Amino acid sequence: MTTSADMTTAAGGPRSQGATASAGASAAAGPTGSAGASGTGGAAAVTGAALSMAGRGGGTPEPEGHQYAPQWLELRESADADARAVDLLDPLRIRLANLPGRATALTVHDLGCGTGSMGRWLAPRLDGAQRWVLHDQDPNLLRLAAARAPRAAADGSPVTVTTRRGDIGRLTADDLAGASLVTASALLDVLTREEIEALAAACAGAGVPALLTLSVVGRVDLVPAHPLDAELAEAFNAHQRASDLLGPDAITMACEAFAQQGATVRVHPSPWQLDARHTALTEEWLRGWVGAACEQRPDLAERADAYLRDRLRACAAGELRVVVHHSDLLALPRPRGGAS
């Protein structure tokens, strides 16, 4: 693996919310600090400390003050890998094979890369030499992502990596000049309408396909069911929409934004399927999900405290199943330069 550090601020300076976040924390809740570390502590203990599925804490983070624990991103990586929609890869491969200048290496921009899980999943599934440009606000995550990047493509061709620290909410077509593909995981639901529209316009302007995975859609199924499930889910979804972020509405908005730019858009389900094999992940997800719901609706805290204890006991006993629904989106812009 060859790496270089291009730590310049890409497409603008740091911002206080939305796309400043590492994408890897979206779609599930995970602690940044003590939340989630204390046994079966009640909902009140995690309120204000747990990350929501929108990748945020209880309030709007400071411009440089919010980071995602690498441990959380690693904890969710296998569930993410299992969930991503492989059915979208064949149409993507066809487009990439027909890109003008395909004899050269693919250049892939991974937005909100976190620890680089998208690259570890996708690069070995694509043929040909690849140059990945990893975007994130957190320099520590960028270093981890570069160090753990895959070395080879599906056919053994080399994979190289550069890193770019900056605000992915302000990317333009010029920033994507020469790109072959834009990717992201769990990013769309931490963006605003304006940021998604700007992303769609940038991809269309550069003629770059986009594979945007693991956007939450506002549905969670827990087995066995509990009377409080629906109320917590509603409160959680409202929490995701705070500060003008789109949360579970993001996938619909993204489909519209890319379609308005003339792209062909495909969407495929990509649910987390959590069972007894995912006890640690399910526990952390529960703490964050309940905690975010209680931040939105403090009146739920007393009932949610008992709910969380019961759910964590069932999880530890291997008796809980959770499906966290997501969708993956592939946007194929109008072909350029003879591409088909």
Side-chain angles (χ1 to χ4, degrees):
M1 175 188 67
T2 302
T3 64
S4 66
D6 174 14
M7 298 299 287
T8 57
T9 301
R15 302 167 66 246
S16 63
Q17 62 186 36
T20 61
S22 305
S26 177
T32 54
S34 61
S38 57
T40 59
V46 296
T47 299
L51 284 173
S52 78
M53 287 186 192
R56 295 168 289 123
T60 302
E62 294 301 320
E64 295 293 342
H66 189 68
Q67 295 181 337
Y68 297 103
Q71 295 87 344
W72 165 246
L73 301 181
E74 292 166 6
L75 184 62
R76 62 172 290 170
E77 183 166 349
S78 64
D80 287 348
D82 290 342
R84 288 190 184 97
V86 295
D87 289 352
L88 295 179
L89 293 185
D90 279 346
L92 174 62
R93 292 185 183 108
I94 292 170
R95 172 56 65 90
L96 295 178
N98 288 282
L99 287 176
R102 182 60 183 90
T104 62
L106 294 173
T107 298
V108 183
H109 287 254
D110 188 22
L111 309 183
C113 67
T115 62
S117 65
M118 184 61 160
R120 289 190 291 275
W121 181 81
L122 184 58
R125 289 173 166 82
L126 299 178
D127 287 333
Q130 300 167 39
R131 173 180 174 262
W132 282 69
V133 183
L134 307 179
H135 298 251
D136 206 285
Q137 278 284 82
D138 186 335
N140 295 320
L141 291 179
L142 285 172
R143 282 189 285 270
L144 281 173
R148 298 178 57 194
R151 299 172 181 270
D155 60 358
S157 298
V159 175
T160 62
V161 173
T162 61
T163 60
R164 191 173 296 177
R165 185 184 180 196
D167 181 358
I168 59 179
R170 296 176 183 171
L171 286 176
T172 67
D174 288 343
D175 296 313
L176 299 177
S180 311
L181 175 65
V182 167
T183 65
S185 279
L187 172 67
L188 294 180
D189 40 75
V190 302
L191 300 182
T192 64
R193 174 183 293 270
E194 291 75 17
E195 287 166 339
I196 286 181
E197 290 174 344
L199 175 59
C203 291
V208 183
L211 179 63
L212 308 172
T213 67
L214 298 171
S215 296
V216 295
V217 297
R219 291 173 48 224
V220 176
D221 299 323
L222 298 98
V223 178
H226 187 285
L228 199 56
D229 290 345
E231 202 167 356
L232 288 170
E234 182 180 0
F236 176 80
N237 289 339
H239 185 275
Q240 274 209 299
R241 296 182 177 105
S243 302
D244 294 326
L245 304 187
L246 288 172
D249 306 319
I251 195 73
T252 299
M253 178 61 219
C255 289
E256 294 174 357
F258 278 96
Q260 287 171 0
Q261 294 291 336
T264 299
V265 180
R266 301 176 185 229
V267 177
H268 199 282
S270 54
W272 273 3
Q273 307 272 1
L274 306 182
D275 54 29
R277 299 167 299 168
H278 309 93
T279 300
L281 175 59
T282 305
E283 288 178 352
E284 296 303 331
W285 174 84
L286 276 167
R287 291 185 177 101
W289 187 66
V290 173
C294 291
E295 287 175 0
Q296 182 68 25
R297 285 208 28 212
D299 61 294
L300 290 174
E302 184 174 352
R303 286 181 293 154
D305 182 64
Y307 173 95
L308 183 60
R309 288 196 301 268
D310 290 345
R311 286 304 201 188
L312 289 174
R313 279 195 292 264
C315 182
E319 299 169 352
L320 182 65
R321 304 291 183 269
V322 181
V323 179
V324 182
H325 293 272
H326 311 90
S327 288
D328 289 3
L329 180 153
L330 175 63
L332 301 175
R334 290 190 181 99
R336 289 184 164 200
S340 61

